[in-house]
């Protein structure tokens, strides 16, 4: 099993450009998440998808959109990149059963994004 | 609102000595607490979790954590540190405010350096 994979690993954008970060998991998990990691701030949730066909905003959703393409794939789109979106982006997945499961999340290797 | 504090940005310990990485939390309701580790240029890896039951939780790589409800703490411990334990450690609590889904609130992280 590859676990959670993310592409690309690195990206440099100019202000105003758009891009999509791809994430896929092969663990048949229901829930998927996008986080951003900034120094001294831990991880902050951008969007999550509790199950296929649903998405919801997290703590810092402004400037981002997501698509849960199918059970395996969850993409994050920056429509008009800004320097404040320079960060490391992590995708994660977890299994949720019956709404009362407290399973850990599995993380991808991250995408390091720089917006100039 | 759920929150997690890690009062130390950096912890230094000599190899072979015991280590402690501190975490305190604030939650409404029962706390569901997790520890993750992040090695350089990698995603987060799950170490252990407390859901209910025994206050001393054992996890991966010889780590354990002690849940203390009265002090609202969940400190990570290891009896004998290894140089390879040097990494960034995150404490996290499940965010119950969002209901369904495995949303977490992460602390800012503590960098552990084990000196040979």
């Amino acid at each position: 099993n590859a676990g959670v994979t993310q592409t690309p690993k690195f990206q440099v954008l100019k202000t105003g450009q758009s891009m999509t970060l791809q994430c896929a998991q092969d663990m048949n998990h229901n829930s998927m998440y996008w986080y951003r990691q900034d120094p001294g701030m831990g991880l902050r949730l951008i969007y999550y998808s509790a199950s296929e066909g649903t998405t919801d905003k997290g703590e810092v959703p402004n400037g981002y959109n997501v698509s849960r393409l199918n059970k395996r794939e969850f993409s994050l789109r920056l429509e008009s990149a800004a320097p404040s979106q320079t960060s490391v982006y992590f995708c994660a997945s977890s299994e949720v059963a019956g709404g009362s499961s407290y399973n850990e999340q599995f993380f991808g290797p991250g995408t390091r994004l720089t917006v100039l | 609102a759920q929150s997690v504090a890690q009062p130390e940005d950096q912890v230094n310990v000599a190899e072979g000595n015991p280590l402690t990485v501190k975490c305190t939390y604030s939650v409404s309701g029962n706390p569901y607490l997790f520890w993750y580790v992040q090695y350089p240029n990698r995603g987060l890896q799950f170490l252990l979790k407390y859901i209910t039951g025994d206050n001393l939780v054992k996890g991966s790589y010889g780590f354990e954590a002690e849940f203390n409800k009265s002090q609202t703490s969940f400190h990570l411990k290891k009896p004998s540190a290894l140089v390879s334990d040097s990494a960034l450690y995150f404490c996290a609590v499940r965010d119950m405010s969002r209901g369904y889904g495995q949303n977490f609130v992460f602390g800012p992280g503590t960098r552990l350096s084990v000196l040979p």
Side-chain angles (χ1 to χ4, degrees):
Chain A
N1 286 351
V4 180
T5 57
Q6 293 182 236
T7 56
K9 292 185 178 179
F10 302 93
Q11 184 71 48
V12 178
L13 294 177
K14 294 181 180 179
T15 297
Q17 287 185 317
S18 62
M19 78 162 295
T20 300
L21 281 64
Q22 306 287 354
C23 173
Q25 52 93 8
D26 62 2
M27 295 172 283
N28 203 36
H29 286 165
N30 290 320
S31 297
M32 297 185 73
Y33 314 82
W34 277 105
Y35 292 93
R36 59 179 288 172
Q37 183 181 27
D38 301 294
M41 301 189 72
L43 276 72
R44 293 181 292 169
L45 184 67
I46 305 171
Y47 270 94
Y48 71 100
S49 171
S51 61
E52 185 179 355
T54 68
T55 62
D56 204 352
K57 295 178 180 179
E59 181 184 357
V60 288
N62 291 345
Y64 305 95
N65 284 303
V66 291
S67 296
R68 183 75 182 267
L69 305 171
N70 47 55
K71 192 171 185 179
R72 289 186 64 249
E73 298 172 289
F74 188 40
S75 63
L76 178 72
R77 182 160 178 85
L78 287 69
E79 291 291 351
S80 179
S84 61
Q85 294 178 305
T86 294
S87 188
V88 182
Y89 291 85
F90 288 100
C91 178
S93 71
S94 68
E95 180 59 30
V96 177
S100 61
S101 177
Y102 307 109
N103 292 328
E104 61 272 22
Q105 294 183 353
F106 293 81
F107 285 80
T111 295
R112 191 172 297 273
L113 175 67
T114 300
V115 183
L116 303 175
Chain B
Q2 276 67 217
S3 67
V4 175
Q6 295 181 242
E8 299 160 318
D9 293 336
Q10 174 93 30
V11 171
N12 297 321
V13 63
E15 187 174 29
N17 283 1
L19 70 86
T20 299
V21 182
K22 296 179 180 177
C23 171
T24 59
Y25 64 88
S26 174
V27 301
S28 55
N30 293 322
Y32 303 108
L33 298 157
F34 297 72
W35 275 103
Y36 287 83
V37 60
Q38 184 181 29
Y39 298 102
N41 300 314
R42 302 284 296 274
L44 277 69
Q45 296 178 30
F46 169 74
L47 280 179
L48 50 80
K49 65 183 175 184
Y50 172 83
I51 304 301
T52 186
D54 194 347
N55 289 345
L56 186 63
V57 179
K58 295 187 182 299
S60 306
Y61 313 120
F63 284 93
E64 58 190 27
E66 186 170 11
F67 171 67
N68 188 316
K69 188 172 183 178
S70 63
Q71 297 185 5
T72 62
S73 66
F74 189 55
H75 300 333
L76 182 70
K77 299 181 180 184
K78 188 174 183 181
S80 179
L82 300 173
V83 172
S84 57
D85 293 330
S86 298
L88 190 57
Y89 290 80
F90 290 97
C91 184
V93 62
R94 188 186 168 192
D95 182 0
M96 302 300 290
S97 66
R98 294 187 178 274
Y100 198 78
Q102 292 283 309
N103 301 315
F104 290 88
V105 174
F106 286 85
T110 297
R111 188 165 300 280
L112 173 67
S113 293
V114 181
L115 309 173

